[in-house]
Amino acid sequence: MFYYILKYVVLGPVLRVLFRPRTEGLENIPEEGAAIVAGNHLSFSDHFLMPAILKRRITFLAKAEYFTGPGIKGRLTAAFFHSAGQIPVDRSGKDAGQAAIREGLGVLSKGELLGIYPEGTRSHDGRLYKGKVGVAVMAITAGVPVIPCAMLGTFEIQPPGQKLPKIKQVAIRFGEPLDFSRYAGMENQKAAIRAVTDEIMYAILELSGQEYVDEYAAKVKAAEQEAVPPRKFPKLRR
């Protein structure tokens, strides 16, 4: 109930008025039945703008940190994500990927729409990064189509680290559903799930027009942070 109040009464109308999202390919979203919407991830705003323009409810696998933040802001954020039906996923530890897959398959088993960002994290520089294979495992295991999605302009309105978004028009594109039924029973084969993931990322790339980097975003970000020397401050004289 709270999800639909947010979507149609509280948040959705405001987002549509402020950001005037242009949409392409909405007809590619099935009216019913399980499916995965796989998109690029450029901004915190992505979590709100895509659901605002979809007719169907979509459930995202959200990072657990959104549910465990400190203080009043943390509690409000956690309450929002819980009420909106989003699922927390702990991305730390060796079993994090399996936990995300289990949660995602649970959503799909109920015939619902699952939203996922195959890059695993927001792009820190606006480029599109190598996808993680969890999306492929879920698509093959559940036997559902994958609809590629591209968010355009959300990096410019709210790049990582910026608290409030700029008021500017954005666009959201949905590509034709990708059918991976030819890979049935191959969800445990590394070559198969890598091929499926790369096909999904290529479809997102065609829609977004981003520069592609054949490395994981988290790895590149960590390497860049290590390469930056610590800032030195002059000593204060007494």
Side-chain angles (χ1 to χ4, degrees):
M1 178 64 71
F2 186 75
Y3 178 92
Y4 292 102
I5 291 174
L6 277 175
K7 180 178 175 69
Y8 294 109
V9 180
V10 181
L11 192 58
V14 174
L15 293 175
R16 288 191 290 272
V17 169
L18 291 179
F19 299 102
R20 310 182 313 282
R22 292 185 293 105
T23 60
E24 298 177 24
L26 272 174
E27 67 278 5
N28 292 319
I29 302 294
E31 294 183 0
E32 58 182 19
I36 298 172
V37 178
N40 59 342
H41 194 15
L42 296 169
S43 169
F44 185 71
S45 300
D46 297 340
H47 288 291
F48 310 103
L49 289 168
M50 187 201 297
I53 56 91
L54 291 177
K55 293 181 180 179
R56 291 183 62 182
R57 172 173 178 157
I58 184 169
T59 298
F60 280 92
L61 301 180
K63 64 180 182 179
E65 291 88 334
Y66 289 148
F67 299 80
T68 58
I72 295 176
K73 180 182 178 182
R75 289 195 292 272
L76 289 174
T77 301
F80 173 83
F81 277 95
H82 274 301
S83 301
Q86 308 308 291
I87 300 174
V89 175
D90 185 355
R91 300 184 301 175
S92 62
K94 62 180 181 180
D95 297 325
Q98 291 301 316
I101 290 171
R102 285 195 301 271
E103 295 289 357
L105 289 175
V107 173
L108 296 171
S109 69
K110 294 183 285 187
E112 298 177 358
L113 207 58
L114 175 68
I116 189 170
Y117 302 115
E119 292 169 276
T121 186
R122 279 177 287 173
S123 172
H124 62 287
D125 58 8
R127 297 186 293 179
L128 183 68
Y129 285 86
K130 185 177 182 178
K132 296 189 175 183
V133 298
V135 61
V137 174
M138 287 186 280
I140 296 172
T141 303
V144 300
V146 177
I147 297 93
C149 171
M151 307 296 295
L152 304 173
T154 57
F155 185 83
E156 287 73 19
I157 67 169
Q158 192 180 18
Q162 182 171 308
K163 293 183 178 181
L164 295 176
K166 298 177 183 177
I167 305 304
K168 188 178 180 181
Q169 187 175 35
V170 300
I172 307 172
R173 293 176 179 166
F174 299 95
E176 295 184 1
L178 304 174
D179 177 14
F180 297 110
S181 57
R182 63 190 184 278
Y183 290 98
M186 301 172 68
E187 61 270 17
N188 293 318
Q189 297 186 23
K190 290 183 178 181
I193 59 176
R194 184 74 258 167
V196 169
T197 304
D198 288 345
E199 186 174 337
I200 293 169
M201 298 311 294
Y202 182 74
I204 296 172
L205 179 64
E206 285 195 313
L207 292 170
S208 71
Q210 293 169 267
E211 179 184 345
Y212 179 74
V213 181
D214 194 27
E215 293 281 356
Y216 293 117
K219 180 180 178 181
V220 172
K221 184 177 180 180
E224 290 180 359
Q225 290 176 339
E226 290 180 2
V228 177
R231 186 178 177 184
K232 294 183 179 180
F233 294 93
K235 293 183 179 180
L236 297 176
R237 294 182 178 178
R238 294 183 179 179

